[in-house]
Amino acid sequence: MTTSSHLANHTQRQTVNLKLNDTDGLEKGLTDSVLMMRTESAPNTLDAVVQWGRKNSLWPYPFGTACCAIEFMASVSSIHDQSRFGAELVRFSPRQADMMIVAGTINHKMVPVLKRVYEQMCEPRYVISMGACACSGGFYDNYTTLQGIDMIIPVDVYVAGCPPRPEAVLEAIIKLQDKMQNSKATLVPSQTPQE
Ligand code: SF4
């Protein structure tokens, strides 16, 4: 073997070693970060991994009925970049989503629709109530408007404002992720109605 080919082989080996070390580092870092997330609610590694995966891969379903929905669109735009939190893959089928964002006024005629869509979502499912209208009816204090979606479906995080800013939506997602991190990670069987 000539000196130049020996050097070439050496450099190649170094490159391979470097790549292997990088991969090892990534795996170790990943394992460390998942293990560090073990809590009372997720005492073993499997629970911690399930929680970690769930909270970092939320699939949003926007139930947008009014102006708040426009603000939600801003939160997924490149400026605010909701994808930084693993929740950018907006779906328009409830069967492909696990985080509903109710953005806008809900009137009584829409109640059965909202309930049906919620029930069709994957489990475990989460709800963010965005804006004054969804949280409490807002200034529509009248006989046509539902005075808060928590009268018909469970809400995990409420976002105040009329409309809330996109940053507030991002904060709601972070709060929801915290809540998921601290809740029991169980594998819930699907109860999605076959309709
Ligand atoms: S809270 Fe305000 S911005 Fe949001 S839907 Fe109601 S009126 Fe529109």
Side-chain angles (χ1 to χ4, degrees):
M1 187 182 287
T2 62
T3 311
S4 57
S5 65
H6 180 81
L7 271 176
N9 277 346
H10 182 68
T11 313
Q12 203 175 11
R13 250 200 329 271
Q14 271 193 329
T15 312
V16 171
N17 283 341
L18 195 62
K19 279 185 184 158
L20 281 177
N21 286 340
D22 284 348
T23 312
D24 289 350
L26 180 66
E27 282 178 6
K28 186 173 181 317
L30 196 58
T31 310
D32 286 351
S33 65
V34 171
L35 290 178
M36 275 168 56
M37 288 173 4
R38 286 198 294 191
T39 58
E40 261 181 42
S41 59
N44 63 50
T45 307
L46 178 61
D47 289 344
V49 169
V50 169
Q51 277 180 336
W52 177 79
R54 274 186 185 151
K55 79 178 192 127
N56 289 298
S57 60
L58 286 162
W59 289 42
Y61 176 95
F63 196 96
T65 61
C67 8
C68 272
I70 308 298
E71 216 59 25
F72 172 73
M73 290 176 213
S75 74
V76 289
S77 70
S78 54
I79 296 176
H80 298 285
D81 196 11
Q82 190 170 295
S83 52
R84 288 175 294 159
F85 306 96
E88 82 278 25
L89 205 57
V90 175
R91 310 309 292 170
F92 292 96
S93 164
R95 291 181 179 85
Q96 298 171 353
D98 59 1
M99 176 178 71
M100 177 188 271
I101 297 177
V102 181
T105 324
I106 302 295
N107 58 41
H108 287 292
K109 274 190 178 175
M110 292 169 68
V111 165
V113 179
L114 179 57
K115 274 170 97 169
R116 171 72 57 87
V117 169
Y118 172 76
E119 284 164 5
Q120 287 175 333
M121 287 171 63
C122 301
E123 291 202 40
R125 51 200 170 206
Y126 308 94
V127 176
I128 292 177
S129 176
M130 177 183 175
C133 285
C135 293
S136 65
F139 52 75
Y140 299 107
D141 185 8
N142 57 39
Y143 69 94
T144 65
T145 305
L146 185 70
Q147 301 298 295
I149 60 165
D150 55 5
M151 296 172 86
I152 55 165
I153 56 174
V155 173
D156 294 286
V157 183
Y158 298 84
V159 189
C162 177
R165 283 203 39 94
E167 291 90 338
V169 179
L170 298 182
E171 191 183 357
I173 291 172
I174 294 169
K175 282 200 184 312
L176 179 60
Q177 288 174 323
D178 287 346
K179 185 176 177 177
M180 292 166 77
Q181 180 69 48
N182 295 317
S183 56
K184 188 104 180 86
T186 48
L187 298 174
V188 182
S190 172
Q191 296 170 6
T192 306
Q194 300 298 311
E195 292 177 33

